[in-house]
Amino acid sequence: MAHDADSASPPEARIRGWHAHVYFDANTLEHARSLCEEAARLFAVKMGRVHEQIVGPHPAWSCQLALRPAVFAQLIPWLTLHRQGLSIFVHPITGDDLVDHRDHGSWLGQSMTLNLGVFDGLPPTHFEL
Ligand code: ZN
């Protein structure tokens, strides 16, 4: 059986933080904005820009919430109960953006298809927590 250098610690120890991407459209923009603002007010969460355009791998307009691992257990249950129909994509930050988005993401609400092609030719990680 093969052992690699990381076998002493579980793979989840590589998770440096999480993103929760809240998706919306013109009809749900204000709801999404207030959801993100409230999350940033209640928890140790860094709210990103409210993008009224497609950015990165995201399939819809989006706003990013960035959080440390310890905040996950507070934020995700709160989003689950307050998202009011919005789709939210949650992924870890381990240092490999493609794998984090393609293999390790989870959805609150309706899932959508990410544009993973944006990672072609990029260094393994370019997202800041
Ligand atoms: Zn992200």
Side-chain angles (χ1 to χ4, degrees):
M1 184 177 292
H3 291 275
D4 62 31
D6 292 330
S7 62
S9 60
E12 58 270 26
R14 294 199 303 267
I15 297 175
R16 301 198 298 260
W18 296 85
H19 284 170
H21 295 278
V22 177
Y23 296 132
F24 55 89
D25 60 20
N27 292 323
T28 54
L29 165 65
E30 289 311 320
H31 170 51
R33 186 196 305 279
S34 48
L35 182 76
C36 292
E37 288 174 348
E38 187 72 352
R41 191 180 69 80
L42 291 173
F43 306 107
V45 165
K46 190 161 79 178
M47 176 180 166
R49 196 170 301 163
V50 175
H51 293 286
E52 294 180 54
Q53 59 181 330
I54 303 289
V55 295
H58 304 296
W61 295 0
S62 62
C63 181
Q64 171 182 297
L65 301 173
L67 50 143
R68 298 288 174 189
V71 182
F72 184 96
Q74 300 171 293
L75 179 71
I76 300 306
W78 185 87
L79 286 175
T80 297
L81 297 184
H82 290 84
R83 65 183 180 79
Q84 292 184 38
L86 296 177
S87 289
I88 302 175
F89 177 63
V90 180
H91 70 84
I93 300 166
T94 68
D96 188 328
D97 290 336
L98 176 61
V99 169
D100 288 346
H101 289 78
R102 183 189 62 198
D103 301 337
H104 300 321
S106 299
W107 291 87
L108 309 182
Q110 185 70 45
S111 67
M112 303 164 84
T113 301
L114 299 179
N115 177 19
L116 297 171
V118 300
F119 296 118
D120 290 349
L122 290 179
T125 189
H126 68 289
F127 288 129
E128 297 297 322
L129 174 57

